[in-house]
Amino acid sequence: MKIDENKSFLENEELLSKLWFKLIGVERLTEPQLKYPHERDFIESDSLMFIVSDTSEGRLVVNGQYYPLRPGAVFLCRPGQLIEAGLHAGREFGLTILRFQAYEMKSTSEHTAVAHAIHNFSAEGEAMMLSAAAVLPLCKMIAATWNNGSLADRFSSEAGFHELIGLVLKHQEQKTAMALEYAKGQLERDFAQEITIEQLTANIGLSRFHFMRLFKEKFGKGVIEYVTELRLSEAKKLMREMPDSTLRDIAFRVGYKNETYFSNLFKKHMGVAPAVYLKQAHLKIAAYSWVNIGQLLALQIIPYAAPLDHYWTDYYRSRYAFDVLVPLSHHYEFNRESLRKMQPDYIIGIDCWIEEDEQQRLAQIAPALFLPWDKSWREHHLLTAQFLGKTKEAEKWLDAYDQKAKRIHKSIKMTLKDQSVLVVVVHNERLLIWGRRAGTVLYDDLGIAPAEHIDQIGWTKSVEVRDLADFDADHMIMNISKDPISQSTWQLISKQEGWRDLKAVKKKQVHYTSGLTGLEAPWNEYNAFGHERFMQQMGQLFHN
């Protein structure tokens, strides 16, 4: 019996009636068990697996595809996938890994049947949001009884595992999920037409507000945003397939009647004008590391291959997933194989992030540039441009950047005058200070006076609340991560006397931000494109 490739593994009802599931292993994975660095570790994928999350702090990356973790999320994975887990530090919560085998029972005669192992299914990597109240105690019981080792407990584990499968199947049948999928399918089919929210909700029986909230929860983006992405993706496809078509014709085909509006929208979302995008479409450049993406975008080049599993932002995923046709990971062999198949024109990476012998292997695949991390982002920008034959474009970009910095500096000066600024980040249970290199946009490009001792710190430094007074800052930029742990840490910090006694707090000169570019992980946004976006956001922050 063949699995219908147009349906998910759990939608093949005829097949399910002849399947037998066998639990073969149960593991718990929490942050203390992760290898260094703690942001990620690899899960061996030698069997079918349910990976169940009991945390909202972390991520799973399956074959380069990023999935945020949520309590009750169940991931279906198959053998041979590259699976990376990232969990936040100091937490007892994490992942339960249930390894199992699926067998298809085939009759050989009237009274006998043979079990054949099944290793593939089309819902690989799919996350199902089940009830945490139902799933998590069940997984806890499965893990506890499995590890006890007695025969009776093993049967209890098996029973619990089959109950989990039942919950998964029930979830697949839920009408709301089906309705959302139906609406999503309608958008994907008719995105070039005028579709109103009222038309969608009339077809699926949900209220406008409820539908829009559930749609964003399920798909990670609003309806209008999703339609825009569909239209722009189709436009990019048409531009590649029909390069002789006019921009007006392409705009009309994807649902826009105004060519100028379409062109401006395209540039806003993609960072390049349609004409530039079409000109660069033939280039196949691999951005080997996170930071290389922004280095290329500043040169108006969208990488053909790049890692898109950023855990601090979904900016690149939401805008460039269509164009990054080859997702890269943090595994040398996986990346090499992907790049060999891709046959890139160029490979760009960071020297100290890639071992020397691996650099040599990559250089055998295509001309490669490994930027020295001890150089400034401006030098990275120029070296990248020189490597790609775009030195004039890079110099022009830097000149425009510096002119913009002068304008924003003049605006900020009205608020800050000559007063000093300190950047403070609350992330998980840590309080971090930005150093000179992390804050180069503020201190070097915008000419803002750094707080005391900042020049002695390169990237970041972990401090206690009592240490903040030593920096004697007139102003503080305060970024508090949105996760519950960071928010809880902030509640404790804000109640401490040492916090209330700080100069900036007393003067009410604390500027609160949340999720701004680079504030979560400045070392990964140390590039021209990221710095330009951050500079604009700083101008808006102090202008208000």
Side-chain angles (χ1 to χ4, degrees):
M1 180 182 296
K2 292 182 64 178
I3 297 178
D4 184 353
E5 295 297 334
N6 295 318
K7 295 183 178 181
S8 74
F9 174 70
L10 299 175
E11 289 174 333
N12 287 271
E13 294 182 0
E14 184 181 359
L15 176 62
L16 278 171
S17 65
K18 298 184 179 181
L19 282 183
W20 169 42
F21 298 94
K22 173 64 178 176
L23 185 63
I24 59 176
V26 181
E27 305 163 31
R28 279 286 297 161
L29 182 64
T30 57
E31 183 276 333
Q33 297 169 288
L34 297 181
K35 301 185 183 72
Y36 180 85
H38 291 303
E39 287 93 355
R40 60 178 179 269
D41 198 3
F42 295 94
I43 297 175
E44 185 177 2
S45 55
D46 56 358
S47 69
L48 297 175
M49 287 186 290
F50 284 141
I51 299 179
V52 184
S53 169
D54 55 36
T55 179
S56 60
E57 303 304 317
R59 68 202 177 281
L60 204 69
V61 182
V62 182
N63 279 358
Q65 180 67 45
Y66 175 97
Y67 297 94
L69 295 181
R70 296 289 185 272
V74 180
F75 299 85
L76 285 75
C77 301
R78 63 170 174 79
Q81 291 181 315
L82 183 67
I83 305 171
E84 304 172 52
L87 300 168
H88 287 301
R91 302 296 293 172
E92 62 182 5
F93 302 109
L95 303 170
T96 300
I97 304 169
L98 305 176
R99 300 180 183 274
F100 66 98
Q101 182 62 66
Y103 296 92
E104 179 190 353
M105 304 303 296
K106 289 187 175 180
S107 299
T108 57
S109 67
E110 184 178 353
H111 302 291
T112 60
V114 177
H116 295 273
I118 295 175
H119 301 289
N120 298 301
F121 50 87
S122 59
E124 62 187 63
E126 182 176 330
M128 294 171 290
M129 298 305 301
L130 304 186
S131 166
V135 171
L136 300 187
L138 183 59
C139 287
K140 185 176 181 180
M141 182 277 290
I142 294 171
T145 52
W146 180 268
N147 292 321
N148 283 343
S150 70
L151 183 61
D153 285 334
R154 285 295 174 92
F155 275 116
S156 296
S157 292
E158 288 280 359
F161 173 68
H162 281 85
E163 185 177 345
L164 176 63
I165 292 176
L167 292 175
V168 169
L169 292 173
K170 183 177 180 180
H171 172 83
Q172 293 293 98
E173 298 169 355
Q174 290 179 338
K175 291 183 179 180
T176 300
M178 292 176 63
L180 291 172
E181 291 290 351
Y182 175 83
K184 180 170 175 281
Q186 184 177 354
L187 292 175
E188 291 170 349
R189 184 181 66 248
D190 302 327
F191 63 83
Q193 303 176 19
E194 291 296 331
I195 305 176
T196 66
I197 300 297
E198 285 71 22
Q199 288 173 321
L200 288 173
T201 54
N203 290 334
I204 63 178
L206 294 174
S207 70
R208 176 189 176 93
F209 174 79
H210 194 51
F211 166 73
M212 295 182 71
R213 179 178 64 82
L214 290 177
F215 190 96
K216 188 165 187 177
E217 285 180 1
K218 183 172 180 61
F219 303 114
K221 58 198 68 176
V223 176
I224 304 303
E225 182 184 1
Y226 188 60
V227 170
T228 300
E229 288 185 7
L230 290 171
R231 288 179 169 183
L232 292 183
S233 294
E234 180 65 15
K236 288 184 284 186
K237 179 182 176 183
L238 292 173
M239 289 165 69
R240 290 182 176 183
E241 294 178 350
M242 300 185 299
D244 295 329
S245 295
T246 64
L247 194 61
R248 181 176 180 274
D249 183 48
I250 290 175
F252 184 79
R253 281 173 175 262
V254 300
Y256 296 110
K257 299 178 180 178
N258 188 303
E259 176 185 342
T260 302
Y261 175 81
F262 166 72
S263 182
N264 292 336
L265 183 69
F266 189 99
K267 186 171 183 179
K268 178 182 178 182
H269 278 257
M270 299 304 300
V272 299
V276 176
Y277 176 86
L278 187 59
K279 183 179 178 181
Q280 304 287 2
H282 68 282
L283 278 175
K284 296 169 68 174
I285 301 179
Y288 197 88
S289 302
W290 289 324
V291 72
N292 302 126
I293 299 174
Q295 291 165 348
L296 291 173
L297 290 175
L299 296 171
Q300 296 198 310
I301 297 173
I302 301 173
Y304 190 88
L308 289 179
D309 58 326
H310 311 78
Y311 59 87
W312 68 92
T313 177
D314 64 353
Y315 180 85
Y316 297 109
R317 280 190 301 278
S318 63
R319 284 164 174 76
Y320 304 110
F322 174 88
D323 301 276
V324 179
L325 299 180
V326 180
L328 299 179
S329 180
H330 310 281
H331 190 281
Y332 286 159
E333 292 182 10
F334 179 86
N335 286 348
R336 277 202 309 276
E337 184 62 26
S338 298
L339 292 174
R340 285 195 186 99
K341 292 178 180 178
M342 164 192 168
Q343 296 184 334
D345 298 309
Y346 303 99
I347 299 172
I348 300 176
I350 300 296
D351 60 354
C352 65
W353 296 2
I354 309 169
E355 295 175 1
E356 288 188 15
D357 57 348
E358 187 62 23
Q359 292 181 30
Q360 295 174 8
R361 296 187 188 100
L362 292 172
Q364 293 174 359
I365 297 175
L369 170 68
F370 300 103
L371 296 165
W373 188 236
D374 58 352
K375 300 294 184 181
S376 72
W377 69 269
R378 290 172 180 267
E379 291 173 292
H380 290 166
H381 183 62
L382 290 171
L383 287 170
T384 302
Q386 183 180 10
F387 179 66
L388 299 174
K390 291 184 171 292
T391 300
K392 289 184 179 179
E393 291 90 334
E395 291 173 345
K396 183 178 179 180
W397 189 95
L398 285 173
D399 182 63
Y401 176 88
D402 290 334
Q403 293 302 318
K404 185 179 295 185
K406 288 179 181 179
R407 293 194 299 270
I408 295 177
H409 166 79
K410 186 176 180 180
S411 174
I412 288 178
K413 194 79 170 177
M414 298 175 64
T415 301
L416 296 181
K417 300 181 174 58
D418 294 321
Q419 298 180 90
S420 63
V421 171
L422 177 70
V423 181
V424 184
V425 175
V426 178
H427 185 61
N428 285 337
E429 298 175 348
R430 301 175 68 197
L431 195 61
L432 298 170
I433 298 297
W434 266 25
R436 184 79 191 209
R437 197 172 183 194
T440 184
V441 174
L442 293 170
Y443 305 133
D444 299 318
D445 302 334
L446 294 178
I448 295 173
E452 293 185 17
H453 312 303
I454 289 301
D455 288 341
Q456 301 170 22
I457 305 171
W459 286 111
T460 61
K461 181 179 180 180
S462 182
V463 298
E464 302 293 335
V465 175
R466 61 178 178 271
D467 300 322
L468 293 175
D470 297 336
F471 295 91
D472 196 33
D474 298 303
H475 290 258
M476 287 196 298
I477 298 174
M478 194 78 190
N479 188 78
I480 305 148
S481 299
K482 296 179 180 180
D483 62 275
I485 302 174
S486 300
Q487 292 292 325
S488 177
T489 300
W490 166 239
Q491 291 300 318
L492 294 175
I493 290 172
S494 62
K495 295 175 183 178
Q496 294 186 31
E497 185 177 352
W499 170 262
R500 296 194 298 268
D501 289 340
L502 292 172
K503 181 196 296 186
V505 176
K506 286 183 175 180
K507 290 184 177 182
K508 296 183 180 180
Q509 294 183 160
V510 179
H511 309 270
Y512 295 96
T513 67
S514 180
L516 291 189
T517 303
L519 278 169
E520 301 291 349
W523 46 90
N524 291 323
E525 290 293 338
Y526 189 71
N527 58 58
F529 184 80
H531 285 344
E532 182 181 36
R533 292 174 58 228
F534 179 66
M535 183 170 66
Q536 292 173 333
Q537 291 171 332
M538 288 299 98
Q540 296 168 2
L541 178 68
F542 288 108
H543 181 72
N544 295 332

